[in-house]
Amino acid sequence: MNEHQRLICPICKKRGSETALYKDGPAYRCAEGHSFDIAKKGYVNLLLSQQSSKKRHGDDKRMVTARRDFLDRDFYASLADAVVDAAKAYVTGGVIVDAGCGEGYYTARLHEAISGADIYGIDISKDALAYAAKRDRSLTLAAASAADIPVMSGCADAVVSIFAPVFPKEFSRLLKPGGVLVRAVPLEDHLFGLKRAIYKNAYKNPFDSGELDGFELVDIKHIRYDITLECREDIEALFMMTPYYYKTSRADQERLLSRSSLTTELDFGVIVSKKGCRNEQDI
């Protein structure tokens, strides 16, 4: 199957039909006559008008730029390696959907490591997708919600979700029987040093057991290490790529950013789950 045939028309999908999209010059089209232009920045917008009317559309450009700058320093390289290793243990090619791919740091690493795979990056932020396209022009990138992914049912060998909202029913729809979901989640101590520097009463992250409806838990890998940021630019980039930045007063922001260095814990879980068999047709 041609890679472009795995994208489906979001209009037809809303009507209950999975109509394949095909690439036709500067646009994707379906047999029913719906057309979606490919942006010059390298992605196709498959968000419908009612979805696009939301005031805030995914991570804003400041957050996306901060995350790009921080990740490009490879502070999270050990996490990226663990995600790639987890995917490679179960997938040697086929189709991988990165649901909530952001600016493509992990997506590009997956493509480099699993060169035979067709990789689809899905994110609601167009700013993030523009950066992802710059990282790897061979990726298929689409603006869409991870809750309603315009990709054919049962075509994916793996779905990847890195610090992104999880939609078990939608991910199960995408996966082949026995396909895997690879998730990266923050564990209890993740960024606790950063939070101690911001809040008087810092709190730990909630426990994540790794269990999901419709999936069989296969493996959890725990990755924990400390990093020291030695300039304001790195501290600001880390801070701005987190939701804490938008929940913190200006005075508390300035107090953090006045620091010359910051040491914080990184505490990740990489969770691998296999799609369960729901009925005899899935066996």
Side-chain angles (χ1 to χ4, degrees):
M1 177 182 287
N2 182 281
E3 63 175 334
H4 302 306
Q5 291 180 310
R6 296 189 182 100
L7 287 178
I8 57 176
C9 174
I11 298 173
C12 293
K13 183 176 188 292
K14 187 177 179 182
R15 297 172 180 172
S17 174
E18 294 195 356
T19 308
L21 290 174
Y22 61 93
K23 195 172 183 182
D24 182 20
Y28 283 97
R29 307 183 194 281
C30 82
E32 298 300 315
H34 304 123
S35 179
F36 306 90
D37 292 339
I38 300 170
K40 291 181 179 179
K41 293 183 177 180
Y43 62 86
V44 59
N45 182 11
L46 298 182
L47 286 164
L48 300 181
S49 58
Q50 61 268 33
Q51 295 172 310
S52 299
S53 64
K54 295 179 181 178
K55 183 177 180 181
R56 184 178 173 196
H57 227 203
D59 296 340
D60 64 25
K61 191 168 185 176
R62 290 183 304 169
M63 181 181 282
V64 169
T65 302
R67 187 168 60 231
R68 178 203 61 184
D69 293 346
F70 185 82
L71 293 177
D72 280 350
R73 296 289 305 277
D74 280 336
F75 291 113
Y76 281 19
S78 294
L79 172 61
D81 290 342
V83 169
V84 166
D85 288 346
K88 286 176 66 177
Y90 297 92
V91 179
T92 57
V95 174
I96 299 174
V97 177
D98 190 347
C101 67
E103 42 60 65
Y105 177 74
Y106 304 98
T107 327
R109 292 283 294 269
L110 283 164
H111 188 231
E112 181 181 0
I114 310 174
S115 58
D118 289 334
I119 300 185
Y120 295 78
I122 306 296
D123 203 279
I124 203 167
S125 169
K126 298 173 188 176
D127 290 324
L129 291 172
Y131 283 137
K134 288 181 180 179
R135 287 190 187 277
D136 188 341
R137 296 297 269 184
S138 66
L139 298 172
T140 301
L141 302 169
S145 168
D148 190 19
I149 296 174
V151 173
M152 285 188 169
S153 298
C155 77
D157 297 88
V159 171
V160 175
S161 176
I162 311 295
F163 294 133
V166 175
F167 302 95
K169 186 175 180 181
E170 180 68 353
F171 294 172
S172 181
R173 178 190 69 80
L174 293 173
L175 287 167
K176 298 175 180 178
V180 295
L181 170 62
V182 179
R183 292 192 291 143
V185 301
L187 296 183
E188 291 151 282
D189 288 330
H190 186 55
L191 298 182
F192 196 61
L194 173 65
K195 288 188 280 190
R196 282 197 304 266
I198 302 170
Y199 305 119
K200 291 181 180 179
N201 298 307
Y203 58 92
K204 296 195 174 187
N205 295 316
F207 174 73
D208 190 328
S209 69
E211 299 288 346
L212 286 176
D213 288 344
F215 287 85
E216 173 191 353
L217 181 61
V218 175
D219 186 43
I220 300 180
K221 183 174 182 179
H222 186 187
I223 303 145
R224 189 189 188 286
Y225 56 98
D226 294 349
I227 59 171
T228 298
L229 308 179
E230 298 180 336
C231 65
R232 175 190 169 106
E233 289 77 16
D234 287 344
I235 296 171
E236 186 173 22
L238 173 61
F239 186 33
M240 289 187 66
M241 76 183 224
T242 72
Y244 313 131
Y245 177 81
Y246 297 90
K247 300 176 182 178
T248 304
S249 70
R250 179 63 61 86
D252 288 339
Q253 289 178 7
E254 288 303 320
R255 187 173 68 252
L256 173 67
L257 297 177
S258 69
R259 299 172 65 113
S260 60
S261 67
L262 173 72
T263 297
T264 188
E265 303 86 347
L266 301 184
D267 194 18
F268 310 111
V270 176
I271 304 171
V272 180
S273 306
K274 186 171 288 188
K275 178 179 176 178
C277 295
R278 293 178 177 271
N279 54 55
E280 290 183 0
Q281 291 181 344
D282 291 335
I283 299 175

